[in-house]
Amino acid sequence: MEPFQNTGQPDWGWWGKLWPTPGATLRKLGVEAGESVAEVGCGSGYFALPAARIVEPEPVYALDLDEELLDELDQVADLQGIENVVPIHGDARNLASVLPERVDTLVVANTFHGVDDQPGLVAQAFDAIEPGGRLVVVNWHDRPRETTTVADEPRGPPAALRMTPAETEDAVLSASKFALDRQVDLPPYHYALLFDR
């Protein structure tokens, strides 16, 4: 399987400029102690690792197609003494079958815009989340790429792939029985939609 379109993994320094406090961002999105979490397209763990610290001892399943990035995540977890992050080499198109159990929170950060079959992923997500759990979708705002700069360079997906909050909401709700909980603004360039299962 090919990765989702335009969802490559930037380096940690780049992420640090955009998301200087990933743990605080996750808490703002409702990630809490005692919950199990899965992240789709986790890359090298910029969000999965702080999520593991928040929910410890519950597991964080870090799913990605790129084995090298998962190896990097595993190494960083070892260095930081994080024992509850579980790297999973697998395809989100088969999410419900590659996760070992249902989770309380499923995070899809900076990936949803590039998914070739969004209804299929949403259906998989619904099956992978515990009743009463939540889906968190973090997306770039629908703005011209030249206006979303990091270190003076245009960043983010091409404008044609960017989705408004309303488009993201429609993509999720039209494919599942999720219910929109709320929208969270994530300056400078992102928003998140939180859906209840």
Side-chain angles (χ1 to χ4, degrees):
M1 281 285 189
E2 291 296 312
F4 294 134
Q5 187 178 2
N6 202 266
T7 57
Q9 176 70 26
D11 62 41
W12 284 75
W14 189 92
W15 277 126
K17 290 181 177 71
L18 197 55
W19 307 98
T21 54
T25 299
L26 289 164
R27 286 185 180 91
K28 189 174 182 179
L29 299 178
V31 175
E32 298 177 346
E35 299 181 338
S36 58
V37 174
E39 185 188 1
V40 170
C42 66
S44 55
Y46 195 78
F47 285 110
L49 293 167
R53 290 192 183 281
I54 293 169
V55 305
E56 186 177 28
E58 293 300 315
V60 172
Y61 299 109
L63 177 72
D64 207 286
L65 273 176
D66 190 322
E67 289 184 275
E68 289 183 17
L69 291 174
L70 291 173
D71 288 344
E72 184 180 333
L73 180 152
D74 211 21
Q75 292 168 13
V76 175
D78 285 345
L79 286 171
Q80 295 183 1
I82 297 173
E83 298 180 354
N84 60 318
V85 67
V86 182
I88 297 178
H89 179 245
D91 196 312
R93 297 166 184 94
N94 305 314
L95 184 61
S97 61
V98 297
L99 290 178
E101 62 181 337
R102 286 182 170 183
V103 295
D104 298 307
T105 300
L106 180 70
V107 178
V108 183
N110 301 304
T111 302
F112 195 73
H113 64 266
V115 174
D116 48 3
D117 177 12
Q118 291 175 347
L121 177 63
V122 170
Q124 287 284 315
F126 192 85
D127 290 343
I129 298 172
E130 289 281 2
R134 82 180 72 79
L135 170 66
V136 177
V137 179
V138 177
N139 265 345
W140 290 79
H141 274 294
D142 182 22
R143 298 177 185 158
R145 191 169 188 267
E146 61 271 14
T147 68
T148 57
T149 60
V150 178
D152 298 322
E153 292 287 330
R155 297 292 185 166
L161 291 179
R162 297 188 186 212
M163 302 173 71
T164 65
E167 289 169 333
T168 302
E169 178 182 353
D170 182 61
V172 172
L173 298 184
S174 65
S176 69
K177 294 181 180 177
F178 283 112
L180 180 66
D181 173 24
R182 67 186 191 276
Q183 177 178 331
V184 178
D185 195 32
L186 300 171
Y189 305 135
H190 292 77
Y191 64 90
L193 295 185
L194 279 59
F195 299 91
D196 294 330
R197 188 210 191 284

